[in-house]
């Protein structure tokens, strides 16, 4: 399949959002069944253990989501092959100590029913090796991987934003974190706190200019943003932004700031820096010192640790 070097910015942004929506869908499917979820956790070891904060874990969700996103992007834009980078290795060790390489074959939306069924079965066979021959769970996950999802609210926002112009793919690379805050994904509960719990889990996907390092577009998805009031099923939320030269667009919901993220009363800030509770204290202090050194009537930076 030929890959154009120029694509419409709007379609490119919609592609990222479709990847994010599928990633969130898989994250919810995997965590929905506690007896299944307990089989999926593997402690990171060796070079893949970043040791940022105690024991670092990965789950099948991390690996499977990363493989899905990489496969989807490279399927839609073959010229980006080899330029989609992720935090996880494409392997998982099951309870028998067998290491399985996780891979996903992507079907186009116009694929025939037999072709789709073949892809689902191929993915299910691979997952079976990870899940110790749990055929029911493997087929359920494989179906989720290849399921055609409805157009999301975020994708509709992009259409409404009337994003113009084209993007040069020759300068684009990707980085993704399939499950950010894996600890809360594994252990997180439903809490009203903003700083912990399952609702803090995110899927991060960003496109950047590999010549300059400058960000071009990105999505932040919360797979467990809220529960549906009718059936109690988890629903997600995705925030997005695109900045390419003078062309800047972002989720309308970003304009509605959480109260704790608003600048101090009587000041106006150009930037808000949001840091994790696990950030190094020296880094947080650096930003806070920068804020306090600004004039009392106007500041260029606000800091929130959540």
């Amino acid at each position: 399949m030929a890959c154009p070097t120029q694509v419409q910015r709007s379609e490119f942004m919609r592609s990222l959002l479709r990847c994010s929506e599928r990633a969130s869908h898989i994250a919810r499917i995997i965590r929905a069944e506690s007896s299944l979820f307990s089989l999926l956790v593997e402690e990171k070891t060796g070079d893949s253990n970043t040791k940022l904060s105690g024991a670092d874990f990965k789950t099948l969700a991390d690996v499977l989501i990363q493989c899905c996103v990489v496969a989807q992007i490279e399927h839609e834009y073959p010229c980006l092959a080899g330029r989609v980078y992720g935090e996880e290795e494409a392997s998982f060790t099951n309870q028998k100590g067998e290491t399985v390489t996780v891979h996903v074959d992507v079907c186009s939306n116009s694929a025939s029913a037999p072709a789709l069924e073949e892809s689902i079965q191929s993915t299910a066979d691979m997952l079976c090796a990870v899940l110790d021959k749990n055929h029911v769970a493997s087929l359920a996950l494989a179906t989720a991987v290849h399921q055609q999802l409805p157009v999301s609210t975020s994708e509709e926002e992009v259409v409404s934003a009337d994003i113009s112009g084209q993007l040069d793919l020759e300068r684009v690379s990707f980085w993704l974190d399939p499950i950010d805050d894996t600890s809360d994904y594994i252990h997180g509960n439903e809490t009203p706190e903003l700083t912990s719990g399952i609702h803090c889990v995110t899927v991060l996907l960003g496109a950047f200019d590999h010549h300059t390092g400058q960000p071009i577009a990105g999505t932040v998805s919360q797979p467990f943003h809220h529960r549906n009031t009718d059936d109690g099923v988890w629903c997600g939320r995705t925030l997005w932004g695109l900045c390419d030269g003078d062309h800047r667009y972002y989720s309308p919901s970003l304009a509605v700031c959480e109260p704790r993220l608003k600048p101090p009363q009587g000041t106006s800030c150009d930037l808000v820096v949001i840091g994790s509770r696990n950030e190094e204290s020296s880094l947080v202090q650096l930003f806070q010192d920068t804020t306090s050194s600004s004039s009392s009537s106007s500041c260029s930076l606000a800091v929130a640790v959540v």
Side-chain angles (χ1 to χ4, degrees):
M1 183 169 109
C3 178
T5 57
Q6 300 283 330
V7 297
Q8 293 294 322
R9 292 191 183 98
S10 58
E11 183 51 40
F12 181 79
M13 194 69 245
R14 292 178 68 184
S15 294
L16 265 65
L17 288 167
R18 286 193 291 269
C19 288
S20 296
E21 184 64 24
R22 184 168 305 282
S24 293
H25 180 62
I26 294 170
R28 287 189 291 266
I29 291 290
I30 288 179
R31 205 180 187 279
E33 179 53 58
S34 59
S35 60
L36 170 62
F37 184 70
S38 65
L39 300 174
L40 307 182
V41 179
E42 173 195 354
E43 185 172 357
K44 290 182 181 176
T45 57
D47 293 338
S48 64
N49 190 347
T50 57
K51 299 185 190 305
L52 288 176
S53 179
D56 198 5
F57 292 89
K58 71 178 177 180
T59 70
L60 182 60
D62 292 274
V63 180
L64 187 57
I65 286 172
Q66 179 167 304
C67 288
C68 282
V69 171
V70 172
Q72 185 65 44
I73 290 174
E74 293 184 350
H75 174 77
E76 293 192 33
Y77 307 110
C79 58
L80 296 181
R83 302 209 304 266
V84 185
Y85 308 101
E87 186 169 284
E88 304 297 343
E89 298 175 358
S91 62
F92 195 86
T93 303
N94 63 21
Q95 292 190 326
K96 294 180 180 179
E98 301 167 336
T99 299
V100 181
T101 298
V102 179
H103 61 89
V104 174
D105 296 323
V106 177
C107 278
S108 65
N109 291 336
S110 58
S112 64
L116 181 58
E117 290 178 7
E118 183 177 348
S119 292
I120 291 174
Q121 191 57 57
S122 174
T123 301
D125 291 342
M126 177 272 297
L127 291 172
C128 245
V130 177
L131 299 175
D132 299 330
K133 309 303 180 184
N134 187 329
H135 294 277
V136 174
S138 298
L139 185 58
L141 284 179
T143 301
V145 166
H146 296 283
Q147 180 180 352
Q148 295 298 321
L149 301 175
V151 175
S152 66
T153 301
S154 299
E155 197 173 340
E156 290 175 345
E157 289 177 349
V158 170
V159 174
S160 300
D162 194 24
I163 298 175
S164 62
Q166 294 189 318
L167 177 66
D168 179 13
L169 290 180
E170 291 293 334
R171 59 189 177 89
V172 174
S173 290
F174 280 87
W175 175 261
L176 69 119
D177 187 345
I179 295 287
D180 189 40
D181 194 3
T182 309
S183 178
D184 272 323
Y185 182 66
I186 298 170
H187 305 294
N189 298 314
E190 296 181 49
T191 71
E193 300 295 328
L194 289 177
T195 58
S196 65
I198 187 64
H199 54 276
C200 293
V201 173
T202 56
V203 177
L204 309 176
L205 177 59
F208 64 95
D209 187 320
H210 52 245
H211 297 300
T212 66
Q214 292 295 313
I216 296 173
T219 62
V220 178
S221 298
Q222 291 176 272
F224 308 95
H225 182 256
H226 65 278
R227 286 190 180 275
N228 187 302
T229 54
D230 294 329
D231 55 19
V233 173
W234 278 111
C235 300
R237 177 182 73 162
T238 300
L239 303 178
W240 58 271
L242 185 148
C243 177
D244 187 27
D246 294 331
H247 299 269
R248 304 186 179 208
Y249 307 89
Y250 56 86
S251 300
S253 49
L254 280 173
V256 182
C257 219
E258 295 283 355
R260 66 182 299 171
L261 302 183
K262 289 182 179 178
Q265 188 172 5
T267 66
S268 60
C269 295
D270 300 321
L271 297 173
V272 176
V273 176
I274 304 174
S276 162
R277 64 189 185 279
N278 294 322
E279 298 289 359
E280 290 286 344
S281 57
S282 58
L283 180 61
V284 176
Q285 189 62 51
L286 176 64
F287 282 119
Q288 291 175 334
D289 291 344
T290 302
T291 302
S292 61
S293 65
S294 303
S295 65
S296 58
S297 60
S298 175
C299 68
S300 60
L301 183 69
V303 180
V305 179
V306 297

